[in-house]
């Protein structure tokens, strides 16, 4: 097999999750492939779980990163969607089987053979995929999206995972209509995107959080209409039966019953967080009021493009703290404590990837 392009990234070598410089080889471009110079890559909670082998599937050395914004530097034959110089994005998967029901309906993220951008296995050559904390990516054009040039590119990177994760269920479940009332549970990387999309859709948005000190942030900085402290039964009771839908972004254990009370009859709650333990959903809370609970994971490529186009029209980006790669291990520690508003984004192109920390 021909030698592919040399790539320079930062990889975890073991379950400590510590990242350090790592040189490796990208595949030779196949027909339909796009070569992308990585500019910015966001740091997602999922990266933390994977690099520390918390899900038991880590393949080291492991280059994380799946919120990529970059510029096309080369295209193989057969590429029609992109040309050199285009600003593009890559999310948390880079391929799928392309034939199953999910793939044919545009719900690639639910393909049983989904190839993750990082720590995935290439369907054609069996190699391990390496993520966006590296200078170059090679991705089949069908799994690359166009990033509107009106958006700041660092703030756009988290749209590729955090953004689509909340946007997709909002559209799928009709929680994108002016005048509807949306509840957003948890104000982190996902939640703050939910507030921004909700307001852009013309909805009334209420943030529901355990921390009273996020009130000002939610109302003044992010433009939410109301704020509820989930631990305050009186506030929760006063808001009972007022919401058309709820996006629950919380990955810690938390009571669901009180949230279901906030829904109007026939209201829809969508879970996008991943608590380790099962959530307790009392049947009575669903049956009385005909309420529904769904889950949602990521989104398809066409949905992702629609999300980016919408973000471009409405000027929506994530609130980010941009850091150099030499700061990434500190960023990982701070993300574990939720000490970031609201996403770390690594300035990959502006970092010296060969320098050890
Ligand atoms: C990676 O390759 C560069 C040259 O391209 C070299 O300077 C650097 O020392 C290498 N780093 C590692 C970790 O092997
Ligand atoms: Zn992610
Ligand atoms: Zn498929």
């Amino acid at each position: 097999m021909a030698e592919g392009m040399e790539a320079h990234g930062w990889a975890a070598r073991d379950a400590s999750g510590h990242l350090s410089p790592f040189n490796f080889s990208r595949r030779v471009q196949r027909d339909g492939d796009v070569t992308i110079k990585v500019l910015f890559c966001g740091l997602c909670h999922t990266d933390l779980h994977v690099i520390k082998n918390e899900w038991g599937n880590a393949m080291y050395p492991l280059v994380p990163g799946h919120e990529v914004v970059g510029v096309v530097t080369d295209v193989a034959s057969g590429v029609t969607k992109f040309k050199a110089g285009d600003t593009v994005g890559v999310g948390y998967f880079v391929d799928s089987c392309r034939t199953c029901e999910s793939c044919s309906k545009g719900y690639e993220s639910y393909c049983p053979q989904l190839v993750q951008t990082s720590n995935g296995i290439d369907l054609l050559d069996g190699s391990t995929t390496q993520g966006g904390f590296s200078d170059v990516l090679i991705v089949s054009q069908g799994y690359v999206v166009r990033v509107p040039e009106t958006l700041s590119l660092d703030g756009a990177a988290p749209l590729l995972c955090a953004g689509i994760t909340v946007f997709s269920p909002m559209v799928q479940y009709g929680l994108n209509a002016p005048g509807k009332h949306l509840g957003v549970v948890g104000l982190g990387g996902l939640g703050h995107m939910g507030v921004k999309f909700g307001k852009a859709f013309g909805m009334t948005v209420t943030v529901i959080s355990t921390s009273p000190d996020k009130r000002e942030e939610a109302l003044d900085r992010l433009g939410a209409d109301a704020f509820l402290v989930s631990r305050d039964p009186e506030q929760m009771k006063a808001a009972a039966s007022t919401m058309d839908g709820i996006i629950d972004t919380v990955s810690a254990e938390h009571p669901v019953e009180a949230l279901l009370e906030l829904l109007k009859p026939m209201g829809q709650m969508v879970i996008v967080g991943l608590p380790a333990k099962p959530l307790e959903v009392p049947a009575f809370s669903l049956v009385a009021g005909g309420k529904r609970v769904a889950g949602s994971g990521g989104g398809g490529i066409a949905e992702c493009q629609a999300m980016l186009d919408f973000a471009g029209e409405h000027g929506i980006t994530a609130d980010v703290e941009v850091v150099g790669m030499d700061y990434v291990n500190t960023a990982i520690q701070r993300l574990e404590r939720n000490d970031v508003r609201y996403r770390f984004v690594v300035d990959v192109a502006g970092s010296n990837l060969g320098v050890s920390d």
Side-chain angles (χ1 to χ4, degrees):
M1 207 170 85
E3 192 64 357
M5 181 180 290
E6 189 182 0
H8 308 87
W10 278 44
R13 319 294 175 130
D14 54 47
S16 72
H18 185 85
L19 303 190
S20 56
F22 172 55
N23 293 339
F24 60 105
S25 177
R26 290 288 182 191
R27 70 179 184 229
V28 175
Q29 274 190 343
R30 303 169 184 147
D31 281 0
D33 272 351
V34 175
T35 298
I36 300 162
K37 173 185 158 75
V38 177
L39 299 176
F40 295 99
C41 185
L43 178 65
C44 171
H45 262 283
T46 303
D47 291 314
L48 270 53
H49 295 299
V50 173
I51 59 177
K52 300 198 166 192
N53 199 24
E54 284 170 16
W55 294 340
N57 64 348
M59 294 177 281
Y60 300 110
L62 193 165
V63 179
H66 57 261
E67 292 184 334
V68 178
V69 169
V71 60
V72 174
T73 54
D74 190 20
V75 298
S77 67
V79 172
T80 50
K81 280 178 71 181
F82 302 101
K83 59 179 190 321
D86 287 351
T87 306
V88 295
V90 177
Y92 81 98
F93 58 93
V94 287
D95 207 349
S96 64
C97 83
R98 310 181 188 198
T99 56
C100 73
E101 182 162 344
S102 296
C103 284
S104 54
K105 287 185 171 166
Y107 303 133
E108 292 92 346
S109 66
Y110 303 132
C111 174
Q113 296 190 64
L114 193 73
V115 180
Q116 312 240 336
T117 302
S118 163
N119 199 48
I121 295 178
D122 187 273
L123 292 174
L124 296 179
D125 65 17
S127 62
T128 305
T129 59
Q130 300 288 10
F133 287 169
S134 63
D135 52 3
V136 60
L137 273 183
I138 296 180
V139 183
S140 179
Q141 64 172 341
Y143 297 82
V144 179
V145 286
R146 193 172 295 282
V147 175
E149 286 174 20
T150 51
L151 296 177
S152 71
L153 300 185
D154 48 7
L159 296 175
L160 276 302
C161 180
I164 187 61
T165 299
V166 295
F167 182 92
S168 171
M170 288 172 79
V171 173
Q172 293 290 343
Y173 292 103
L175 304 177
N176 60 347
K180 282 194 178 175
H181 185 188
L182 176 74
V184 175
V185 187
L187 197 58
L190 295 172
H192 95 292
M193 293 308 316
V195 175
K196 291 189 183 199
F197 283 126
K199 289 314 297 174
F201 283 132
M203 303 173 83
T204 301
V205 179
T206 296
V207 171
I208 304 143
S209 170
T210 53
S211 340
D213 56 353
K214 289 194 173 171
R215 172 183 296 273
E216 275 197 344
E217 178 84 6
L219 301 181
D220 301 343
R221 178 160 158 187
L222 296 171
D225 299 285
F227 183 87
L228 292 175
V229 179
S230 55
R231 288 179 178 145
D232 182 333
E234 278 181 22
Q235 280 187 27
M236 294 292 277
K237 204 169 173 199
S241 304
T242 61
M243 297 180 188
D244 297 281
I246 291 176
I247 303 283
D248 184 351
T249 71
V250 175
S251 281
E253 256 181 282
H254 62 292
V256 171
E257 184 172 5
L259 299 173
L260 291 170
E261 296 300 318
L262 299 173
L263 290 173
K264 292 178 186 174
M266 310 295 282
Q268 172 78 55
M269 173 160 157
V270 188
I271 295 168
V272 297
L274 283 172
K277 289 194 187 147
L279 295 171
E280 208 165 282
V281 182
F284 191 86
S285 303
L286 297 180
V287 171
K291 296 170 185 177
R292 296 170 297 181
V293 178
S296 183
I301 293 295
E303 287 181 287
C304 191
Q305 187 61 66
M307 178 273 301
L308 285 167
D309 294 345
F310 182 84
E313 279 162 35
H314 294 270
I316 296 174
T317 52
D319 290 14
V320 297
E321 182 173 336
V322 181
V323 300
M325 193 69 88
D326 57 356
Y327 189 79
V328 73
N329 290 302
T330 306
I332 287 168
Q333 288 167 9
R334 285 183 50 197
L335 179 58
E336 279 177 332
R337 308 194 290 268
N338 287 320
D339 174 21
V340 58
R341 287 187 179 173
Y342 285 92
R343 212 61 157 178
F344 284 112
V345 171
V346 175
D347 177 2
V348 176
S351 297
N352 182 349
L353 298 178
V355 171
S356 176
D357 63 342

